[in-house]
Amino acid sequence: MANVPHRSVNHPGTLTPLEPDRPSSQPLSHSPSVVPSPTPPRYPQVPPTFRPDQMHSPNLLSPSNGIRTGSPVPRMSTPPGPPVFNTPVKPAAVPFRTSPATPQPMGYSSATASSLPVSTPSYYSNGSSTGSQRDLPDVVRMEEPIAADSPYVLFSANKVLRQKKLANVASLGFGAIVSAGREISPGPQIIQRDPHRCLHCGAYSNPYTSILIGSGQWQCVICENMNGSKGEYVAMSKDELRNFPELSLPLVDYVQTGNRRPGFVPASDSRTSAPVVLVIDECLDEPHLQHLQSSLHAFVDSLPQTTRLGVVVYGRTVSIYDFSEESVASADVISGAKSPSAESMKSLIYGTGVYLSPMHASLKVAHEIFSSLRPYTLNVPEASRDRCLGTAVEAALAIIQGPSAEMSRGVVRRAGGNSRIIICAGGPITYGPGSVPHSMSHPNYPYMEKTAIKWMENLGREAHRHNTVVDILCAGTCPLRVPVLQPLAKASGGVLVLHDDFGEAFGVDLQRAATRAAGSHGLLEVRCSDDIRITQVIGPGEEAHSEAHETFKSDPAVCIQMLSVEETQSFSISMENKRDIQSDHVFFQFAFHYSDVYQADVSRVITFKLPTVDSVSAYLQSVVDEAAAVLISKRTLLIAKTQKDAVDVRATVDERIKDIALKFGSQVPKSKLYSFPKELSSLPELLFHLRRGPLLGNIIGHEDERSVLRNLFLNASFDLSLRMVAPRCLMHQEGGTFEELPAYDLSMQSDKAVILDHGTDVFIWLGAELSADEVKSAAVLAACRTLAEELTEFRFPAPRILAFKEGSSQARYFVCRLIPAHKDPPYEQEARFPQVRRLTAEQRRKLKSSFIEFDEESFCEWMRSLKVVPPEPR
């Protein structure tokens, strides 16, 4: 949408942007590293203390930091120090990390927020200042904002091509990966007042805004409309304006502690914490049940004492356990054949039973309940046992919405954040609402499956309307009929995860599912300069209805209703040029709106300015290969819904490589081959991993596993998505260090141990020579397992960690994920896997003889088969 800049005759002067060109951020390189260590924080851990009557600027704005301190204004208080952005344990591969760490949420008070003691403006202010006339310049030109990059947004390139034809080449594309990020932490980025928003398009004021300091008016960077600030931005100098966090930081959190629901107040005490309800399958054989009981006992022991717990068990009937009985496991039983009526649930919930109880009062009872579970005794196959999961989830929702609210002086206090239902399933839904026939050969199976899918989706939406997330953790060897279960988890904002059994990995996921932080009522708004168009959004959300968000006169925003707000998830946003770009910069603004666990309304606003270039080489140099690969992979996987689709989509990966070489590469003299652009040296190898890995390749056999992995990948954070596309390979060295290497089969050296992190699976491979020394191999295995656990400490879902020896049957899971580089000539091996240069001639001969020959292509062979010369590694 084209917008004509509004020029007011009352405010003369030429408006220019606040900021000079921001240098493009380059991807951080992998270090051939030892065990990853925490990256030091970007800012001091403790913000400087201040009093409201202090008039000097914060430490980062002191003359010693190269910033001139302006004259104080009595009505402004100095904000605390800059925000602390923590990065995860492992070394960064790119300047974007959304660590799934789950810090404890914080309460809000004026002491931790940036608050200006001035009259509170209306939500949209458009008044002009009537202050005294001063001899001031018309337009402020400010330096770069503090921390111009955000850990929650990663663009596929740090520059934008001006030419529409080249910029919109579909084989490469342009876009961003966006995450809501972790819970807010104390710092100057927290603002407890209404934001200044453009009346025309709804964009927020930001560090790139041009300001007429004599009147306080500011110009929107998205539509160039002039807006008033009710005098708040009237200042003597630029330094005074830097006291406003939104004008000095690219990321700010606007926090409103008043609740949007009339009659409710935010509550954080133990009595009103969001409940967790376990919905447990009772149709399990004894070995599975024993593992499940162990995981459940460990789960309740790990819960905070304030967590309220409910337990529902389902088979042919639904048992809702009563925590009021302290010495025995007692439950109320309802039929699973049909949905429970409102009257029956009301009589149950308003009776004498206690179905949600805090752990400090019910830990012993919970252990009694889990110990009382008995294995399935009838002689019926696992897939044919009656399981009324639909009715059980309805009962769980009813007890969550029951009289769990407390009355306190006439004010209703409800739990903050999302409630959780965690389903522990061992088989398909075969009884009651939402069920499918036991056998897929049933004549009406396709129709009944379609009906069940629709019913489950509606149940998930009902859960979402009641701020309840449904996670489904499945285990065992019985087919789950994932197409029926997936809509329940997806529509509620939860996840569906498959496990081999109910053992260690299942137990870890159970604990992480219950404790991970999540917000509710999430909405993502994306605004771009008028030259940019958003073409596709992939992630855990859906298009927001117009009544779900505020609208403006000419709002270009793309609005997505978020099904849940979690840092383990992200959105992939594809963009293109509407026309040839004439300006030197384009702007992007991402606004996340959600209610956190304290039911405070949070608006997280992140603003970016990217330079535009004519040079194709300069553009390609700014491309972040890992981000581009993840965006391409998500667009590709969106099409590959079935195994047949996956086979067809592999050919599109081949065509994509050829098209990039044709459009951005060069033809080799006297040859029909094209050279792949050297600036994108990592991209083809990442896409080769995608093509042959579990997402598109033949590694995963069952369609249920493929479907679950696909849905997890499409919603996953950047870190997890990258690992699911291309595994990370770490070789154990003498002295207990680890060296990061390309994921090639040349790493399978008989005297070494190797860790391969593939996102949802982590493999530890021990060479035969190393395994022969039992003492040494045990120590090395312990070191590898420790590192694997550290790398995946906060990852959700928790990956399987499998260890095996060279030549064992399980080693095939490891080998099939490595690129078969042993087929390449020695000079290419040394160029792409420099570690082999350190091997003696005898070691290289033994390594070559250890491989079994097969027909699969190496990376270089694949590139040449496409008539493309592979780029030299960086």
Side-chain angles (χ1 to χ4, degrees):
M1 179 191 81
N3 295 308
V4 180
H6 174 69
R7 307 293 187 190
S8 173
V9 296
N10 295 326
H11 304 283
T14 302
L15 293 173
T16 57
L18 286 171
E19 309 296 338
D21 293 356
R22 184 180 66 185
S24 62
S25 59
Q26 297 296 329
L28 304 178
S29 60
H30 279 291
S31 62
S33 55
V34 297
V35 180
S37 59
T39 305
R42 190 176 295 174
Y43 298 114
Q45 293 289 343
V46 181
T49 58
F50 68 100
R51 299 190 313 273
D53 57 344
Q54 283 180 313
M55 291 296 114
H56 58 272
S57 298
N59 291 342
L60 284 183
L61 305 182
S62 63
S64 62
N65 286 331
I67 299 177
R68 181 171 52 85
T69 304
S71 303
V73 177
R75 59 187 177 84
M76 290 186 178
S77 64
T78 307
V84 177
F85 295 102
N86 292 325
T87 54
V89 175
K90 56 188 174 183
V94 290
F96 174 93
R97 282 294 178 266
T98 309
S99 171
T102 306
Q104 292 298 320
M106 55 163 287
Y108 307 107
S109 66
S110 58
T112 61
S114 174
S115 178
L116 300 175
V118 296
S119 58
T120 303
S122 61
Y123 196 75
Y124 309 112
S125 54
N126 195 25
S128 60
S129 173
T130 58
S132 60
Q133 297 296 320
R134 310 179 191 183
D135 185 16
L136 294 175
D138 290 323
V139 182
V140 168
R141 304 173 186 271
M142 300 175 71
E143 285 88 5
E144 281 298 312
I146 302 170
D149 294 321
S150 166
Y152 306 139
V153 178
L154 176 64
F155 286 92
S156 61
N158 295 315
K159 296 178 182 178
V160 178
L161 264 177
R162 291 181 177 175
Q163 300 92 334
K164 175 184 175 181
K165 183 177 179 181
L166 284 175
N168 293 353
V169 170
S171 54
L172 183 57
F174 173 76
I177 303 169
V178 184
S179 172
R182 61 176 63 92
E183 286 289 322
I184 63 176
S185 55
Q189 82 278 10
I190 297 179
I191 304 172
Q192 285 189 272
R193 56 178 168 82
D194 291 331
H196 292 292
R197 300 186 68 175
C198 176
L199 285 177
H200 190 255
C201 72
Y204 293 76
S205 61
N206 56 77
Y208 309 106
T209 300
S210 297
I211 299 177
L212 292 168
I213 59 175
S215 65
Q217 285 198 320
W218 59 279
Q219 185 181 40
C220 176
V221 298
I222 302 297
C223 69
E224 299 185 0
N225 187 59
M226 290 298 298
N227 301 274
S229 65
K230 282 203 169 180
E232 283 198 8
Y233 290 164
V234 175
M236 291 289 295
S237 68
K238 166 188 62 183
D239 296 306
E240 291 180 11
L241 290 176
R242 293 190 69 92
N243 285 328
F244 289 87
E246 69 268 30
L247 300 182
S248 60
L249 299 171
L251 184 152
V252 291
D253 292 318
Y254 293 96
V255 179
Q256 301 291 338
T257 53
N259 199 285
R260 66 159 66 92
R261 302 175 185 175
F264 285 68
V265 295
S268 60
D269 57 21
S270 62
R271 297 169 299 168
T272 57
S273 59
V276 175
V277 178
L278 295 175
V279 178
I280 302 170
D281 184 355
E282 67 176 358
C283 302
L284 303 178
D285 293 328
E286 187 166 3
H288 286 317
L289 180 61
Q290 288 177 350
H291 282 123
L292 176 60
Q293 286 175 317
S294 298
S295 296
L296 292 173
H297 286 303
F299 168 70
V300 293
D301 285 336
S302 70
L303 288 177
Q305 292 296 297
T306 58
T307 301
R308 292 183 298 151
L309 179 70
V311 177
V312 176
V313 175
Y314 69 96
R316 190 176 178 83
T317 59
V318 176
S319 301
I320 307 171
Y321 277 86
D322 182 359
F323 286 88
S324 62
E325 298 287 345
E326 297 184 1
S327 57
V328 294
S330 173
D332 292 284
V333 181
I334 61 175
S335 171
K338 60 181 181 179
S339 298
S341 65
E343 293 76 14
S344 63
M345 291 310 300
K346 184 175 180 180
S347 63
L348 178 72
I349 293 171
Y350 284 85
T352 59
V354 177
Y355 305 107
L356 289 174
S357 180
M359 291 311 303
H360 66 80
S362 58
L363 181 60
K364 181 180 178 181
V365 182
H367 284 301
E368 291 286 348
I369 292 171
F370 301 146
S371 298
S372 70
L373 300 177
R374 293 293 178 262
Y376 192 82
T377 56
L378 300 179
N379 187 22
V380 179
E382 277 188 299
S384 301
R385 298 169 186 174
D386 291 337
R387 294 179 172 90
C388 57
L389 176 58
T391 307
V393 173
E394 288 182 306
L397 281 173
I399 65 174
I400 288 175
Q401 297 302 316
S404 58
E406 297 183 9
M407 300 298 295
S408 175
R409 296 182 182 177
V411 178
V412 180
R413 298 160 61 88
R414 290 196 181 275
N418 279 338
S419 304
R420 288 200 180 274
I421 295 176
I422 303 177
I423 299 171
C424 305
I429 313 170
T430 53
Y431 189 69
S435 64
V436 291
H438 300 127
S439 173
M440 297 182 70
S441 60
H442 189 283
N444 267 352
Y445 188 87
Y447 171 77
M448 297 180 72
E449 182 185 51
K450 185 177 180 180
T451 304
I453 290 173
K454 188 65 177 176
W455 192 90
M456 281 294 180
E457 183 179 359
N458 289 336
L459 181 59
R461 292 185 183 280
E462 180 68 16
H464 181 256
R465 280 194 293 271
H466 291 95
N467 303 329
T468 301
V469 173
V470 181
D471 292 324
I472 307 176
L473 308 184
C474 306
T477 56
C478 181
L480 272 300
R481 317 285 168 85
V482 166
V484 178
L485 288 175
Q486 188 78 62
L488 172 60
K490 183 178 180 180
S492 69
V495 297
L496 190 154
V497 185
L498 298 182
H499 297 85
D500 294 334
D501 52 42
F502 291 97
E504 180 181 1
F506 179 91
V508 172
D509 268 345
L510 194 61
Q511 295 178 26
R512 294 181 185 177
T515 56
R516 71 186 194 274
S520 58
H521 305 96
L523 181 73
L524 168 61
E525 297 176 346
V526 185
R527 293 177 175 86
C528 312
S529 294
D530 190 48
D531 293 320
I532 303 295
R533 177 192 296 116
I534 295 174
T535 58
Q536 187 181 52
V537 178
I538 302 173
E542 56 191 23
E543 185 178 358
H545 300 293
S546 58
E547 62 270 14
H549 59 92
E550 297 172 84
T551 55
F552 295 83
K553 185 185 302 182
S554 183
D555 192 350
V558 172
C559 298
I560 301 106
Q561 181 181 346
M562 303 172 66
L563 299 176
S564 64
V565 185
E566 301 180 19
E567 56 193 344
T568 58
Q569 300 175 337
S570 70
F571 289 88
S572 300
I573 303 174
S574 299
M575 310 176 195
E576 67 179 18
N577 290 20
K578 290 183 183 179
R579 61 185 74 86
D580 289 346
I581 301 175
Q582 303 300 322
S583 59
D584 292 334
H585 298 89
V586 287
F587 296 91
F588 304 85
Q589 191 169 83
F590 308 90
F592 290 92
H593 309 276
Y594 62 94
S595 296
D596 68 359
V597 293
Y598 287 91
Q599 291 208 2
D601 291 335
V602 179
S603 293
R604 172 165 287 173
V605 181
I606 309 170
T607 309
F608 275 86
K609 179 179 74 172
L610 297 186
T612 59
V613 292
D614 291 311
S615 168
V616 173
S617 177
Y619 170 71
L620 294 179
Q621 288 176 359
S622 76
V623 171
V624 182
D625 288 3
E626 292 88 349
V630 169
L631 283 168
I632 291 171
S633 299
K634 294 203 176 191
R635 291 199 297 265
T636 303
L637 261 292
L638 191 66
I639 305 171
K641 296 180 180 179
T642 65
Q643 169 63 19
K644 182 180 181 302
D645 294 336
V647 174
D648 297 338
V649 164
R650 287 178 214 158
T652 68
V653 177
D654 297 349
E655 294 302 317
R656 188 182 297 273
I657 292 294
K658 291 192 287 187
D659 192 62
I660 293 175
L662 179 65
K663 300 289 177 54
F664 297 105
S666 59
Q667 189 171 5
V668 178
K670 300 179 181 180
S671 171
K672 294 183 179 180
L673 301 178
Y674 277 82
S675 294
F676 199 84
K678 62 182 180 180
E679 296 90 348
L680 308 178
S681 61
S682 302
L683 182 61
E685 189 170 307
L686 292 169
L687 295 182
F688 185 57
H689 276 296
L690 168 70
R691 188 183 186 279
R692 64 189 300 276
L695 293 172
L696 288 181
N698 296 317
I699 294 176
I700 293 179
H702 199 281
E703 195 59 35
D704 278 0
E705 294 178 87
R706 186 181 303 279
S707 175
V708 169
L709 198 67
R710 172 182 174 272
N711 280 280
L712 176 63
F713 174 74
L714 291 177
N715 296 337
S717 66
F718 171 75
D719 281 331
L720 180 55
S721 298
L722 179 60
R723 290 284 72 83
M724 292 176 72
V725 170
R728 184 184 187 193
C729 183
L730 298 164
M731 178 181 286
H732 183 270
Q733 301 290 347
E734 295 296 332
T737 61
F738 287 84
E739 180 182 6
E740 186 164 357
L741 299 171
Y744 289 3
D745 61 0
L746 297 175
S747 63
M748 296 168 54
Q749 298 166 22
S750 190
D751 60 339
K752 300 292 185 181
V754 179
I755 299 174
L756 192 72
D757 180 1
H758 212 162
T760 56
D761 297 280
V762 178
F763 306 101
I764 301 174
W765 180 88
L766 301 176
E769 288 185 22
L770 177 63
S771 301
D773 187 338
E774 294 185 2
V775 176
K776 183 177 180 180
S777 64
V780 171
L781 177 60
C784 291
R785 186 173 291 277
T786 299
L787 177 58
E789 291 172 352
E790 288 178 358
L791 292 175
T792 62
E793 182 178 2
F794 301 109
R795 189 176 298 175
F796 181 80
R800 295 184 302 173
I801 300 179
L802 301 177
F804 34 73
K805 299 178 182 179
E806 179 182 2
S808 65
S809 61
Q810 282 189 316
R812 68 185 187 277
Y813 297 118
F814 173 80
V815 176
C816 66
R817 287 167 161 82
L818 298 173
I819 293 177
H822 72 275
K823 305 176 70 175
D824 295 330
Y827 70 90
E828 284 191 343
Q829 293 179 0
E830 293 180 1
R832 300 187 177 279
F833 198 87
Q835 192 267 349
V836 297
R837 301 173 188 168
R838 304 201 296 263
L839 302 181
T840 64
E842 177 62 20
Q843 287 175 324
R844 294 189 70 162
R845 186 193 63 78
K846 288 175 63 177
L847 176 62
K848 183 176 180 180
S849 64
S850 67
F851 296 111
I852 300 174
E853 292 300 325
F854 47 88
D855 295 335
E856 188 176 11
E857 295 175 315
S858 70
F859 167 68
C860 293
E861 290 174 334
W862 172 66
M863 290 288 286
R864 292 193 182 95
S865 72
L866 304 178
K867 308 298 183 185
V868 177
V869 178
E872 293 294 326
R874 290 179 182 173

